[in-house]
Each structure stands twice: as structure tokens, then as C-alpha cells.
């Protein structure tokens, strides 16, 4: 690794514009924005993917490899990624810093405690929770209805039993009521941090968070509970973007960590803005498939941040296409071009969806060792029939050198993009139900929406309160266009079931919970934590 001051120098940043966290990590100070804010923006490249499968797609790997490749061909490029959550790191997915020769480093630090941002967000979230219960215990001057406290507790770990709990049991331990935990990546404080332009905006957004309803059914905010200034003190460092590097020494901003299946799934607006001013090309990633991450990147992050992608890269793999074509996981290493043709409908739909936003699209085929030439040609041919280029990426084996061709094609696509073709999926003034149904019908290709009683009541209350001119954040399984994870390919004529709707007034959107999605994940039968160990020299093994 290069000292982080050398990495920053590639962006013309001086050492006194950094807050150092050892030799390899740093945060950008507030005065960086003052020095770069008048510069023109670089090109914004969004990396998304087909629906994820157990075979793996390599979206983060491709984002890092493409950034390395752009720098290899002489383009000044920076990556903008999310911070990994401890829940998946210790759970099913393991680390989230790329792999092979396309990684960001120091990987162990980034995957574990990093610069403390997620801990700060967890602390700020739980400070608000504690002050709510203390307010009730100390006399409840705001007349909060204990049965209508909508602000849960948060923890950055998958912990299934904490989804639904009872608190306040015992003498003088507060008011007994039902409660629960969500994972920090689903916290509204996380969303607020990622969407805030600066500290005044962060403070204003935190103050608008609705935490409960009073006895007259009036929403009560964090600002009314006088919690915001203390929360800001906990977030004063977390709001600043983090700078690290790729294995090849390229600059990378890693900031914010909302999940894409239960939150809006994008790194922070601040980090993206800094990157656009400091580089000619910014490669950023939206979580999971394009039906979740990319749709939210466009309809939430781009809408609220006045951003516009110049090109979209959709990551696909031969194995994922075969899996969507009906091939069992244990048979994915055998050549099967017919299964690729059958499973291509999944990738095709994502291509069509991204084009519907008026964005130029290219497909990156993340190569695995068992892929045959016939299979790679099949994917490229099927993409060509749609008028889309498909470029094979060897980022895992060869790093930036393995992404030269992809980098050249992506740069050309971004340079030629027309600003007047970009469009959001729906207007601000559309009703919430119309926005939900627009996403279901136009992105997922379902026939309609079924609302459970809790969802109906929530939407009726939001209508009563006049909440409408904000985007919706769909919480859905990432494995299918439907709300049922086993329905692969490109299903049609299905109905999405909405179980509940939550108003994130501070973040500025409404969260729509569909199917069986939960905001506190559980651990699998064999958690990744079982294979993580610290050897006698202090080296961490098994995190990736």
C-alpha cells in the first residue's frame, strides 16, 4: 500500500486537507469542498448487476477493476463505494472489499471497524431511542403514545431474536412495551448521513425524523425531543468521506453503508460530490441487482442530490445466467449455452430497465475460470442482438490490466452520453400508491400490488398528514423481480404484496416493505464468523 498522503496527492489534495487514521486511511476535511466546489464535474458511471445468485456476480470487484482499468488507460478515475456492515461480514456474505487483484485496502480494517462511522451511526440512533424511553419515564410531557413508538433500536450485527422484543419489564425499568432492533444499515440515521449535503443539512434532516405519534395521532419528531445536537456531536466525524486505495494505488472513497434490499443502497452524496470534483471519472456502485440498487440510485439519490449518471455498467456472469436458466448450483461448472440463452431473460430485463431511464448501457461479463469460450461468445452475441456491447472483464485475475478493454468502452460511452435523455421513473407529485405501482409494473413487470391491512393503514395516515411529494424506497428480496426469492429469470403476471409502509421523514422518502423482507437479518447455519480467526502474529484469516 502507498501511504494515504500519496494517494491523496494523486487528487491534488494536501496533507493538511486530511484527517489521518494511521498510514493507510484518512477522512477529508471540510475545507476540501471549499477548494473544489467550483470545478466542473467529472463523468459519473454507475455499476449495477443482474439479480444476485449463489454463484456470485462480482459487482464490487468490477467497480474496483474498472476504476483501476480507467487509470491504466490514462483517465483520472476514482471509485465511490459503501462501507461494509459487520452483519454480512460475520454472516453469509463475508467481506465486501472486492477480491483477487481487484480489491480495496486495508481490507481487514474496511470490513471491520474502519474509521468508526457505522459505530457512530449506531450510537446516534440508540441515543435517540434511549431519550424517547427516558422522556416517557420522566413524565411524558409530549404525551407520546407508548403503543405508537415507531423508532426501533439498532445494532450492526445479524441477530434474529432481536427483531421483536419486549422492554421495560421489572420495577422502575421504564414503560413496558413491544419494541425491536433493526440492523444499522437499515437505520434512518444511516440514510440521513448518506443523503445530507453538509452538517446543517444533516442537523435539519435529523430534526425531521418521526419517532412516535402522540395521543392525538400527531407525529412527534426528534427535534421536539431535543436530541439532535447531541446526535450531531456523535456524527461530527462520520459525515466526512473516507479515502482508501485499490491494490494498484488508485483513490477510493468509502462512505456510508445502507443496504439496497431494505434501504436505498448507495454510498453518500457527499463522497460522490467530492469525487466528481476531484476526478474525471467516478465509478460508483448500487447494491444488488438493477431492480433494487440502480432504481433507488436514480429515483432517490439522483433525485434528491440532483445527480445524473453518464453510463451504466451491468455486471453479469456465465454462472448466474445458467442459474437463472434452471441449472442447479452443483452443475454450473459444466458448459451449457442453452441454459445461458434461457437465463438471459433476467439480464435482458435489467438492460431494458436501464435504457428506460434514458441511460447508455454496457454489460461487463465477470469471467470465472470455468467459463468456456463458447459460453462467453453466447453472452456477447445475445447482448449484441439487443444493441448492447458485452466486454469480458478479467479483474479478478489481472486487476486493472484485465479491465483495459472494458475501461476504454465505458469511457467512450460516458463521453458520448447525452444529458437530455435521462429521466426519472416517476414525478414528485404522483401519489405514493401510484409510485409503488409504477415501480412494480415498469421495473419488476408485475401486474399490481396487494396491500396488507397494516400497509393500508399506514398509507391512509400518510395521506392524512399530506405526505406525498417524496420518493419511495422499496424493501424487497434481491434475488428475484418478484417478492419471492425462488422465482428466477424474468417472471411476469405476479402481484407484489406490501406488508407495511414506514415514513422516513428525515431521509425524505417512504420505505415500502414487501413480501417476507425483514430489517434485521439472521445468521445462516454456517456463519462466516466460524472461519474468521486471528493468528499469533496478529494477521486476520478467513474474512474474505
Amino acid at each position: 500500500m502507498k501511504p494515504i498522503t500519496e494517494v491523496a496527492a494523486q487528487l491534488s489534495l494536501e496533507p493538511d486537507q486530511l484527517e489521518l487514521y494511521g498510514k493507510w486511511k484518512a477522512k477529508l476535511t471540510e475545507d476540501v469542498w471549499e477548494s473544489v466546489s467550483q470545478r466542473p464535474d467529472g463523468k459519473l458511471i454507475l455499476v449495477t448487476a443482474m439479480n444476485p445468485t449463489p454463484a456470485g456476480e462480482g459487482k464490487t470487484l468490477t467497480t474496483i477493476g474498472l476504476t483501476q482499468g480507467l487509470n491504466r488507460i490514462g483517465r483520472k478515475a476514482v471509485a465511490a463505494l459503501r462501507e461494509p456492515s459487520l452483519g454480512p461480514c460475520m454472516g453469509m456474505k463475508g467481506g465486501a472489499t472486492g477480491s483477487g487483484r481487484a480489491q480495496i485496502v486495508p481490507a481487514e480494517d474496511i470490513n471491520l471497524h474502519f474509521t468508526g462511522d457505522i459505530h457512530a451511526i449506531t450510537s446516534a440512533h440508540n441515543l435517540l431511542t434511549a431519550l424517547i424511553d427516558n422522556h416517557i419515564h420522566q413524565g411524558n410531557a409530549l404525551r407520546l403514545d407508548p403503543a405508537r413508538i415507531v423508532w426501533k433500536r439498532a445494532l450492526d450485527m445479524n441477530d434474529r431474536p432481536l427483531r421483536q422484543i419486549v422492554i421495560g419489564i421489572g420495577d422502575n425499568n421504564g414503560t413496558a412495551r413491544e419494541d425491536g432492533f433493526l440492523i444499522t444499515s437499515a437505520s434512518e440515521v444511516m440514510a440521513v448521513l448518506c443523503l445530507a449535503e453538509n452538517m446543517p443539512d444533516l442537523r435539519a434532516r435529523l430534526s425531521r425524523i418521526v419517532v412516535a405519534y402522540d395521543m392525538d395521532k400527531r407525529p412527534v419528531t426528534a427535534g421536539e425531543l431535543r436530541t439532535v445536537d447531541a446526535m450531531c456531536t456523535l456524527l461530527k466525524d462520520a459525515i466526512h468521506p473516507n479515502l482508501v486505495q485499490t491494490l494498484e494505488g488508485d483513490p477510493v472513497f468509502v462512505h456510508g453503508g445502507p443496504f439496497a434490499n431494505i434501504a436505498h443502497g448507495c454510498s453518500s452524496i457527499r463522497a460522490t460530490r467530492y469525487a466528481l470534483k476531484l476526478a474525471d471519472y467516478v465509478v460508483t456502485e448500487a447494491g444488488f441487482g438493477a431492480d433494487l440498487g440502480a432504481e433507488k440510485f436514480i429515483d432517490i439519490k439522483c433525485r434528491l442530490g440532483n445527480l445524473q449518471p453518464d453510463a451504466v455498467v451491468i455486471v453479469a456472469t456465465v454462472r448466474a445466467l445458467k442459474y437463472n436458466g434452471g441449472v442447479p448450483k452443483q452443475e454450473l461448472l459444466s458448459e451449457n449455452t442453452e441454459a445461458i440463452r434461457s437465463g438471459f431473460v433476467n439480464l435482458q430485463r435489467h438492460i431494458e430497465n436501464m435504457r428506460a431511464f434514458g441511460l447508455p448501457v454496457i454489460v461487463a461479463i465477470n469471467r470465472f475460470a470455468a467459463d468456456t469460450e463458447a459460453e462467453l461468445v453466447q453472452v456477447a452475441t445475445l447482448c449484441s442482438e439487443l444493441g448492447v456491447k458485452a466486454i469480458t472483464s478479467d479483474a479478478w485475475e489481472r486487476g486493472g490490466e484485465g479491465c483495459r478493454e472494458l475501461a476504454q468502452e465505458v469511457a467512450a460511452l460516458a463521453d458520448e452520453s447525452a444529458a437530455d435523455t435521462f429521466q426519472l421513473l416517476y414525478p414528485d407529485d404522483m401519489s405514493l400508491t401510484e409510485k409503488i405501482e409504477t415501480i412494480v409494473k415498469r421495473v419488476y413487470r408485475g401486474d399490481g400490488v396487494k396491500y396488507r391491512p397494516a400497509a393500508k393503514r399506514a398509507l391512509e395516515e400518510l395521506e392524512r398528514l399530506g405526505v406525498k411529494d417524496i420518493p419511495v424506497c422499496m424493501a424487497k428480496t434481491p434475488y428475484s423481480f418478484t417478492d419471492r426469492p425462488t422465482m428466477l429469470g424474468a417472471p411476469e403476471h405476479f402481484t407484489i404484496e406490501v406488508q407495511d409502509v414506514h415514513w422516513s421523514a428525515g431521509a425524505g422518502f417512504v420505505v415500502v416493505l414487501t413480501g417476507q423482507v425483514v430489517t434485521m437479518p439472521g445468521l445462516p447455519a454456517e456463519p462466516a464468523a466460524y472461519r474468521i480467526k486471528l493468528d499469533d502474529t496478529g494477521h486476520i484469516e478467513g474474512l474474505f
Side-chain angles (χ1 to χ4, degrees):
M1 289 184 284
K2 298 177 182 178
I4 199 64
T5 50
E6 290 185 20
V7 177
Q10 297 170 220
L11 300 175
S12 301
L13 293 173
E14 301 295 332
D16 62 0
Q17 293 179 301
L18 306 175
E19 290 290 344
L20 299 179
Y21 284 68
K23 286 193 274 186
W24 322 117
K25 301 169 291 184
K27 280 185 172 289
L28 274 60
T29 60
E30 193 63 43
D31 65 344
V32 171
W33 182 249
E34 296 173 12
S35 67
V36 302
S37 61
Q38 300 306 309
R39 295 183 188 176
D41 284 350
K43 297 290 184 178
L44 182 59
I45 299 159
L46 172 63
V47 178
T48 183
M50 59 185 295
N51 288 107
T53 70
E57 285 60 62
K59 189 167 63 276
T60 304
L61 167 90
T62 303
T63 301
I64 298 164
L66 175 57
T67 304
Q68 294 175 150
L70 285 165
N71 283 302
R72 283 289 185 102
I73 64 170
R75 309 297 181 103
K76 188 177 181 183
V78 170
L81 297 171
R82 293 172 296 160
E83 300 180 42
S85 162
L86 283 177
C89 285
M90 299 294 173
M92 186 167 65
K93 294 178 71 174
T97 50
S99 59
R101 295 184 180 275
Q103 294 187 47
I104 52 174
V105 286
E108 288 85 357
D109 289 3
I110 297 167
N111 278 305
L112 298 177
H113 305 289
F114 198 23
T115 56
D117 292 351
I118 294 183
H119 295 296
I121 291 166
T122 305
S123 298
H125 181 113
N126 288 329
L127 170 63
L128 177 53
T129 314
L131 290 171
I132 292 167
D133 283 303
N134 185 63
H135 180 87
I136 296 172
H137 180 71
Q138 301 294 347
N140 198 6
L142 291 173
R143 301 176 64 244
L144 303 184
D145 183 351
R148 298 210 61 195
I149 307 297
V150 296
W151 189 255
K152 294 185 177 183
R153 286 158 161 78
L155 180 71
D156 187 34
M157 186 58 63
N158 296 0
D159 200 349
R160 188 179 292 104
L162 294 180
R163 290 173 185 165
Q164 192 169 10
I165 62 173
V166 176
I167 64 169
I169 298 174
D171 293 338
N172 202 33
N173 289 334
T175 302
R177 64 178 180 88
E178 290 189 13
D179 199 1
F181 277 77
L182 42 75
I183 194 162
T184 301
S185 294
S187 166
E188 188 177 349
V189 178
M190 173 68 80
V192 163
L193 184 91
C194 289
L195 295 171
E197 298 280 356
N198 46 43
M199 183 55 81
D201 188 28
L202 177 74
R203 180 177 283 105
R205 287 176 177 275
L206 290 173
S207 70
R208 293 197 297 267
I209 290 174
V210 173
V211 300
Y213 291 82
D214 68 12
M215 298 298 183
D216 299 318
K217 300 182 180 180
R218 184 187 66 86
V220 179
T221 65
E224 292 177 85
L225 282 165
R226 298 185 297 151
T227 62
V228 174
D229 284 332
M231 293 171 72
C232 286
T233 64
L234 293 172
L235 298 170
K236 70 179 181 66
D237 296 321
I239 194 173
H240 299 303
N242 305 297
L243 179 66
V244 289
Q245 62 189 292
T246 72
L247 281 179
E248 297 176 3
D250 307 292
V252 181
F253 291 113
V254 179
H255 194 223
F259 287 169
N261 61 327
I262 53 179
H264 74 284
C266 313
S267 60
S268 75
I269 284 180
R270 277 174 66 88
T272 304
R273 290 213 194 286
Y274 277 74
L276 286 169
K277 297 298 184 183
L278 292 165
D280 297 326
Y281 297 86
V282 177
V283 186
T284 193
E285 171 196 1
F288 290 121
D291 57 318
L292 281 175
E295 186 273 317
K296 295 174 187 177
F297 179 90
I298 294 166
D299 282 320
I300 296 177
K301 181 174 177 177
C302 290
R303 184 190 303 265
L304 299 181
N306 194 27
L307 299 168
Q308 177 177 328
D310 294 287
V312 176
V313 180
I314 301 179
V315 180
T317 65
V318 164
R319 303 196 304 185
L321 289 165
K322 288 191 287 190
Y323 188 82
N324 271 279
V327 176
K329 184 178 179 181
Q330 60 271 23
E331 298 176 18
L332 290 175
L333 300 183
S334 301
E335 182 176 281
N336 192 332
T337 56
E338 270 310 303
I340 289 174
R341 180 174 292 277
S342 298
F344 186 77
V345 292
N346 183 274
L347 177 57
Q348 179 177 341
R349 183 170 292 178
H350 289 299
I351 292 170
E352 292 169 353
N353 284 341
M354 291 300 98
R355 282 177 156 177
F357 287 107
L359 296 171
V361 175
I362 192 168
V363 170
I365 309 170
N366 179 25
R367 188 202 296 265
F368 282 76
D371 297 347
T372 69
E373 194 61 30
E375 289 174 324
L376 294 169
V377 169
Q378 173 80 306
V379 180
T381 300
L382 291 168
C383 288
S384 179
E385 291 172 359
L386 297 177
V388 174
K389 285 187 178 179
I391 308 298
T392 300
S393 164
D394 286 316
W396 188 89
E397 185 178 8
R398 301 170 58 212
E401 193 64 32
C403 281
R404 271 186 177 271
E405 183 182 3
L406 178 64
Q408 288 166 345
E409 294 290 348
V410 169
L413 197 66
D415 291 343
E416 295 165 4
S417 67
D420 58 355
T421 62
F422 176 65
Q423 59 184 0
L424 300 171
L425 186 64
Y426 50 79
D428 287 341
D429 59 2
M430 185 180 276
S431 72
L432 293 177
T433 54
E434 287 176 316
K435 290 170 183 173
I436 295 166
E437 288 167 11
T438 297
I439 295 172
V440 169
K441 291 177 180 179
R442 291 181 55 187
V443 177
Y444 308 158
R445 313 295 174 87
D447 286 340
V449 183
K450 177 183 177 182
Y451 296 96
R452 292 184 187 175
K456 285 183 179 180
R457 288 194 299 270
L459 287 167
E460 288 169 359
E461 183 150 52
L462 290 174
E463 185 177 352
R464 175 181 69 82
L465 295 169
V467 178
K468 61 176 183 177
D469 294 337
I470 57 176
V472 295
C473 178
M474 301 294 285
K476 181 183 75 69
T477 176
Y479 302 112
S480 171
F481 282 104
T482 75
D483 54 5
R484 284 148 281 181
T486 56
M487 292 183 69
L488 304 179
E492 296 178 329
H493 306 302
F494 57 87
T495 299
I496 293 286
E497 186 174 57
V498 175
Q499 56 171 290
D500 208 348
V501 176
H502 296 162
W503 181 23
S504 294
F509 54 67
V510 169
V511 179
V512 179
L513 298 162
T514 71
Q516 301 301 313
V517 71
V518 293
T519 54
M520 169 55 83
L523 293 170
E526 286 289 321
Y530 286 174
R531 63 175 183 266
I532 298 172
K533 60 181 74 172
L534 185 71
D535 68 19
D536 292 341
T537 67
H539 177 70
I540 297 172
E541 299 176 354
L543 187 56
F544 312 109

